[in-house]
């Protein structure tokens, strides 16, 4: 049916036709699984007409604030809570976490935080600090970074690219060292204005 659009109902000899379009989503690496024989290769190639890769939340920190604001607006009526402000400190906590559970985990944390927040400002509750959260320096410690997150990210990508001889693909490439997809790295480099030296 995926290949030709023709199908037969169970027990019926009459062929029918459908123009249905299948949209499938997964968090698995189907290409690798198909090569390993743990996912049907023919099904993979039939489904893979127009693949769209969405990087995990930990690779797109700039989306966290927008998503948190969206969830606050979405969940407000359901919870009977009116949260009108996400303080910088709360946003910094959200952006410092690695989000192994991706966007679903973010929504759960926002919902829990809305329930437990005393006033109209979102107070972050429920981040598992011992499993993946990075500690944030306090204002009292004098260790607060002056550089923005984008500046730190840009500098880190530059250092890794230089160490790899500006190889994005292939052996010992920068994308592998950074733990992200090569296309994601190219996109981040473009967004951050990182250009490979011409000479």
């Amino acid at each position: 049916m995926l290949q030709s659009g023709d199908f037969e109902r169970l027990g019926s000899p009459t062929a029918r036709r459908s123009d249905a379009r299948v949209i499938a989503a997964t968090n698995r690496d189907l290409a690798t699984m198909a090569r390993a024989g743990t996912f049907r290769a023919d099904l993979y190639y039939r489904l893979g007409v127009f693949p769209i890769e969405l990087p995990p939340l930990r690779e797109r920190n700039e989306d966290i604030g927008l998503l948190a604001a969206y969830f606050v607006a979405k969940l407000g009526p359901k919870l009977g809570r009116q949260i009108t402000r996400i303080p910088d400190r709360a946003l910094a906590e959200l952006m410092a976490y690695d989000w192994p559970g991706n966007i679903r985990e973010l929504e759960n944390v926002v919902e829990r935080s809305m329930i437990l927040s005393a006033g109209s400002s979102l107070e972050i509750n429920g981040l598992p600090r011992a499993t993946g959260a990075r500690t944030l320096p306090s204002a009292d410690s004098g260790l607060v970074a002056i550089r923005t997150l984008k500046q730190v990210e840009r500098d880190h990508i530059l250092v890794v690219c230089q160490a790899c001889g500006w190889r994005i693909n292939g052996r010992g490439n920068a994308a592998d060292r950074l733990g992200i997809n090569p296309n994601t790295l190219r996109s981040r480099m473009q967004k951050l204005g990182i250009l490979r030296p011409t000479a």
Side-chain angles (χ1 to χ4, degrees), residues 54-68 71 94-107 109-110 134 149 153 180 184 188:
L54 185 64
L57 193 54
R58 66 181 170 271
E59 292 178 19
R60 46 195 177 101
N61 264 13
E62 67 277 6
D63 290 349
I64 290 174
L66 294 170
L67 286 166
F71 290 136
L94 294 175
M95 293 181 75
Y97 184 59
D98 283 335
W99 301 108
N102 227 334
I103 292 175
R104 287 186 188 91
E105 185 181 13
L106 173 61
E107 182 173 10
V109 167
V110 170
R134 294 182 285 274
L149 187 63
E153 183 183 19
I180 60 176
T184 304
R188 298 298 302 149

Side-chain angles (χ1 to χ4, degrees), residues 2 13 19 41 51 63 66 78 102 132 166 187:
L2 289 173
D19 62 353
D63 290 349
L66 294 170
K78 170 189 165 186
N102 227 334
W166 293 91
S187 173

Side-chain angles (χ1 to χ4, degrees), residues 83-88 120-122:
I83 300 292
T84 58
R85 187 170 165 270
I86 303 178
D88 290 343
S120 60
S121 290
L122 189 69

